Amino acid sequence: MIDAVTGRVRAAQEAVARISAVPLMVRAAIFVIALAGLALAFPAEVLTGRPLLFLAVAALLPAVGPRRLWPTFVALVMVGGWLLATDGYGRPVALWRLLAVAALLYLGHSLCALAALLPYDAVVDPELVTRWLLRVAAVLLGTAVLGVLLLQAAGLGGEAGHQWVTVLGLLVAVGVVALLGWLLRRR
């Protein structure tokens, strides 16, 4: 019994000693991005005391387990915080905040995908992470520019937010995920 516990402790110490810098920095970035997104999405009145501790733990979960359901959980909590802030607390929909929350959602999701591929002890060329982040930045810039141009062309910019569009977008996202899951199980 003691030998088994000692063996597990030594294995854990060896695993911690083998951790390399780049995978650890990617996971730290996931935590910071998730926490920033949650702080932007939730109303300021909620960001004190225990709810802040809950949000910090929620932001830590995808950094620790990027292959599990935690990135999806944090994304849903972020969207829920956005809905709470706009509907429950009457915060107006500001374009900069909407774009920032969407960008942090995408960046966090993309970094979780990268972290899921990187073992803790991987030796990674920093250029790989740089190219990954440049691709993400290009997607975010293109999406933001296109979104703002489409809002201006449609005349929908300004103070008026449409709650039903947010809910419809969430339902479409859930439907796409369900369809992809069904297609994956069919194989």
Side-chain angles (χ1 to χ4, degrees):
M1 174 74 174
I2 298 283
D3 291 335
V5 171
T6 305
R8 287 183 186 253
V9 168
R10 283 191 185 135
Q13 287 173 339
E14 289 174 13
V16 168
R18 287 193 330 247
I19 293 176
S20 60
V22 173
L24 195 61
M25 288 189 322
V26 168
R27 290 169 191 265
I30 291 170
F31 170 72
V32 169
I33 288 166
L35 190 60
L38 290 168
L40 270 175
F42 276 87
E45 296 86 5
V46 176
L47 297 176
T48 56
R50 284 191 180 158
L52 184 61
L53 178 65
F54 167 73
L55 294 177
V57 169
L60 184 64
L61 291 174
V64 173
R67 288 186 190 120
R68 305 204 185 282
L69 64 99
W70 301 122
T72 303
F73 172 74
V74 169
L76 290 175
V77 169
M78 206 177 296
V79 170
W82 176 264
L83 291 174
L84 175 71
T86 56
D87 197 30
Y89 284 84
R91 182 167 68 186
V93 177
L95 183 61
W96 72 268
R97 189 182 308 263
L98 178 64
L99 289 175
V101 169
L104 291 172
L105 270 169
Y106 181 72
L107 183 58
H109 170 77
S110 181
L111 284 177
C112 282
L114 178 62
L117 296 174
L118 295 177
Y120 282 105
D121 59 350
V123 177
V124 180
D125 184 10
E127 187 177 324
L128 174 104
V129 178
T130 304
R131 285 193 317 249
W132 187 285
L133 292 176
L134 284 174
R135 265 188 238 124
V136 169
V139 168
L140 289 175
L141 180 65
T143 303
V145 168
L146 184 64
V148 169
L149 289 176
L150 288 175
L151 278 174
Q152 292 301 320
L156 293 176
E159 297 289 323
H162 300 288
Q163 186 84 24
W164 65 272
V165 174
T166 305
V167 173
L168 181 65
L170 184 60
L171 290 175
V172 168
V174 169
V176 167
V177 168
L179 176 66
L180 290 174
W182 177 74
L183 289 172
L184 185 64
R185 274 186 260 127
R186 258 184 38 168
R187 290 178 21 165

